[in-house]
Amino acid sequence: MQAYKVLEIKQSVFADNDKQAQLLREELKKKKVFLLNLMSSPGSGKTTTLTRTIEALKDELSIGVMEADIDSDVDAKTISDAGVKAIQLHTGGMCHLDAEMTRQGLEGLETEGLDLAILENVGNLVCPAEFDTGSVKNAMILSVPEGHDKPLKYPLMFSICDVVLINKIDVLPYFDFDMDKCREYVHMRNPKAQVIPICAKTGEGIDEWANWLRIQVKAWQES
Amino acid sequence: MQAYKVLEIKQSVFADNDKQAQLLREELKKKKVFLLNLMSSPGSGKTTTLTRTIEALKDELSIGVMEADIDSDVDAKTISDAGVKAIQLHTGGMCHLDAEMTRQGLEGLETEGLDLAILENVGNLVCPAEFDTGSVKNAMILSVPEGHDKPLKYPLMFSICDVVLINKIDVLPYFDFDMDKCREYVHMRNPKAQVIPICAKTGEGIDEWANWLRIQVKAWQES
């Protein structure tokens, strides 16, 4: 039996996405549910990073994950196997999620009693950056093989992220990736962004990232 | 002095992109200009692959390259340094190019006397797949670190590509990438797609790719 639901997301009917996002955040605040929007290119390691994040936090936080994908169910199965509530959102070809689509996902996930809801957005560095999903914080993953110049080429994505995880640091010896330059370029786009190098495969750096996330969730619930 | 122009692309006014794309292809046919649309995720190695392609073909074909980017000029400089005509297209945040935007690019590039015009599309596996640019053939690059499951997750992109270059094969030992499964998944989406493993960094496989492209250009010019 499948341990996760699959939900076909409908196009939004609202013209003012920023307003819908703000409303959604206010509702989440009342319910004390922290929503994280996780973005990256295809293949940067979002799902593996989530699996590690769940391992690190599931004993202290109640977690639910929405896996947005154009039409496969690969990721929801992986997350469900990691032992938390998961739902697969099919976007029907759409390249991003907006606040109303995220709301549909949260309703499908059922947030009652959740501390942390995570949206794994569609793998894309362009469009998801343009739509506020209603999340409390935005995170993105840049993987070493993609190159340290990406903040120069995808400015909006880097400017809206509160934290940038630099994944796949185990392969640093095989790529021309300059971590110092990467930090410099990220901070050009957003001086306040946290940059955390990780390796989701080996678990390196996951403690620092989980700690950052834990602090954000607590602050949201207590404020 | 800059050896390339920078062009700010305007939003299209045409509702029927397929018709505009067909018209553009007919004009290119008359001029005997072959247009290749090259797509991939951010960081898959489009620009390095183009540099190698130019090295392999510039003595026999007159080549021009359009570098579409949200707002940087990094790539046009690299291509211009490789010794062919290059133009940087700024999409102003847009996540793809359609046929009319490609036409603006071709006018900026000036195609008179060109055999091969290459459009390096915006780094994105979702939106560019939805818009016919007017190209004669579509190519995409999937790099080893992204994983062999990507044809499952980005079905449209793989279904519209005539050739899929699997780049960064030099790092195969460090990633769980199954080349046979990748071919199988690509062919699930498009049984006719050519799959060519390459390493743009070392030049491995570039001969096979350049040969494929040379044959396509000649066939287009002679038909």
Side-chain angles (χ1 to χ4, degrees):
Chain A
M1 203 198 80
Q2 263 186 349
Y4 56 91
K5 280 197 284 191
V6 176
L7 185 68
E8 309 293 329
I9 294 286
K10 292 176 195 69
Q11 287 263 18
S12 299
V13 293
F14 297 103
D16 187 349
N17 183 60
D18 287 345
K19 190 176 162 196
Q20 294 303 318
Q22 197 49 44
L23 283 173
L24 182 55
R25 241 184 320 269
E26 286 164 18
E27 289 168 38
L28 291 169
K29 181 86 187 167
K30 279 182 204 150
K31 295 181 183 168
K32 295 188 181 292
V33 177
F34 182 96
L35 175 62
L36 178 77
N37 175 24
L38 180 62
M39 296 171 284
S40 84
S41 284
S44 300
K46 286 192 293 303
T47 311
T48 312
T49 302
L50 277 188
T51 307
R52 288 284 182 182
T53 309
I54 290 164
E55 275 172 27
L57 295 173
K58 75 174 176 182
D59 291 341
E60 43 185 312
L61 298 175
S62 173
I63 303 174
V65 176
M66 296 173 282
E67 289 288 336
D69 229 325
I70 292 171
D71 84 348
S72 87
D73 299 352
V74 184
D75 296 335
K77 185 172 179 331
T78 308
I79 294 299
S80 172
D81 291 348
V84 298
K85 198 149 74 159
I87 183 171
Q88 182 76 49
L89 311 182
H90 281 176
T91 66
M94 278 180 288
C95 51
H96 66 274
L97 292 187
D98 63 15
E100 167 55 20
M101 292 150 83
T102 305
R103 178 190 295 277
Q104 293 173 43
L106 287 165
E107 283 167 6
L109 183 67
E110 299 169 2
T111 55
E112 190 63 37
L114 281 191
D115 299 302
L116 171 60
I118 303 177
L119 170 64
E120 185 180 323
N121 215 313
V122 180
N124 182 333
L125 288 191
V126 186
C127 320
E130 292 167 25
F131 295 88
D132 188 343
T133 58
S135 66
V136 184
K137 295 285 175 183
N138 291 319
M140 72 162 290
I141 302 177
L142 174 68
S143 64
V144 164
E146 294 169 65
H148 58 254
D149 63 340
K150 291 301 161 287
L152 300 180
K153 303 182 73 176
Y154 301 89
L156 186 60
M157 176 57 77
F158 287 85
S159 70
I160 63 147
C161 277
D162 302 287
V163 59
V164 178
L165 303 176
I166 312 290
N167 192 21
K168 307 191 187 178
I169 55 171
D170 58 323
V171 296
L172 273 168
Y174 314 113
F175 289 90
D176 304 321
F177 186 96
D178 187 324
M179 189 65 78
D180 291 335
K181 269 201 186 142
C182 188
R183 282 182 193 272
E184 180 191 328
Y185 294 157
V186 169
H187 290 137
M188 264 170 58
R189 297 306 180 195
N190 179 1
K192 290 183 185 167
Q194 289 282 321
V195 176
I196 306 178
I198 65 167
C199 176
K201 198 170 163 186
T202 64
E204 198 179 343
I206 294 295
D207 277 354
E208 185 182 348
W209 153 239
N211 198 42
W212 181 90
L213 188 52
R214 180 189 293 113
I215 291 168
Q216 305 300 322
V217 174
K218 298 284 174 201
W220 177 250
Q221 291 184 324
E222 288 164 12
S223 65
Chain B
M1 203 197 79
Q2 262 186 347
Y4 57 91
K5 280 198 284 192
V6 176
L7 187 68
E8 308 293 329
I9 293 287
K10 291 177 195 69
Q11 287 264 16
S12 299
V13 293
F14 297 102
D16 188 348
N17 184 60
D18 286 346
K19 189 177 163 193
Q20 294 303 319
Q22 197 48 43
L23 283 172
L24 182 55
R25 241 184 320 270
E26 286 165 17
E27 288 168 40
L28 291 168
K29 181 85 189 165
K30 278 182 204 149
K31 293 181 184 169
K32 294 186 180 294
V33 177
F34 181 97
L35 174 62
L36 178 78
N37 175 24
L38 180 62
M39 295 170 287
S40 85
S41 285
S44 299
K46 287 192 293 301
T47 310
T48 312
T49 302
L50 277 187
T51 307
R52 287 284 182 182
T53 310
I54 290 163
E55 274 172 29
L57 294 173
K58 75 175 176 182
D59 291 341
E60 41 185 314
L61 299 176
S62 172
I63 303 174
V65 175
M66 296 173 282
E67 288 289 335
D69 230 324
I70 292 172
D71 83 349
S72 86
D73 297 352
V74 184
D75 296 336
K77 184 173 181 330
T78 309
I79 294 300
S80 173
D81 291 347
V84 299
K85 196 149 75 159
I87 182 171
Q88 182 77 47
L89 311 182
H90 281 176
T91 67
M94 278 181 286
C95 51
H96 66 275
L97 291 187
D98 64 15
E100 168 55 21
M101 291 150 82
T102 305
R103 178 190 295 278
Q104 293 173 42
L106 287 164
E107 283 168 6
L109 184 66
E110 299 170 1
T111 54
E112 189 65 37
L114 281 191
D115 298 302
L116 170 61
I118 303 177
L119 170 64
E120 183 180 324
N121 215 312
V122 180
N124 182 334
L125 288 191
V126 186
C127 319
E130 292 167 26
F131 295 86
D132 188 343
T133 57
S135 65
V136 183
K137 296 284 174 183
N138 291 320
M140 71 163 289
I141 303 177
L142 173 68
S143 64
V144 164
E146 294 170 66
H148 58 255
D149 63 340
K150 291 301 160 289
L152 300 180
K153 303 182 75 177
Y154 301 90
L156 186 61
M157 176 57 78
F158 287 85
S159 70
I160 62 147
C161 277
D162 301 287
V163 61
V164 178
L165 304 176
I166 312 289
N167 192 22
K168 307 190 187 179
I169 55 171
D170 58 324
V171 296
L172 274 169
Y174 314 114
F175 290 90
D176 304 322
F177 187 97
D178 186 325
M179 189 65 81
D180 291 336
K181 270 200 186 145
C182 188
R183 282 182 193 273
E184 181 191 327
Y185 294 156
V186 169
H187 289 137
M188 265 171 56
R189 298 305 180 196
N190 180 2
K192 292 183 184 165
Q194 290 281 322
V195 177
I196 306 178
I198 64 166
C199 176
K201 198 170 161 185
T202 64
E204 197 179 344
I206 294 294
D207 277 354
E208 186 183 349
W209 153 241
N211 199 42
W212 182 90
L213 188 53
R214 179 190 294 113
I215 291 168
Q216 305 300 323
V217 174
K218 297 284 174 202
W220 177 250
Q221 291 183 323
E222 287 165 13
S223 65

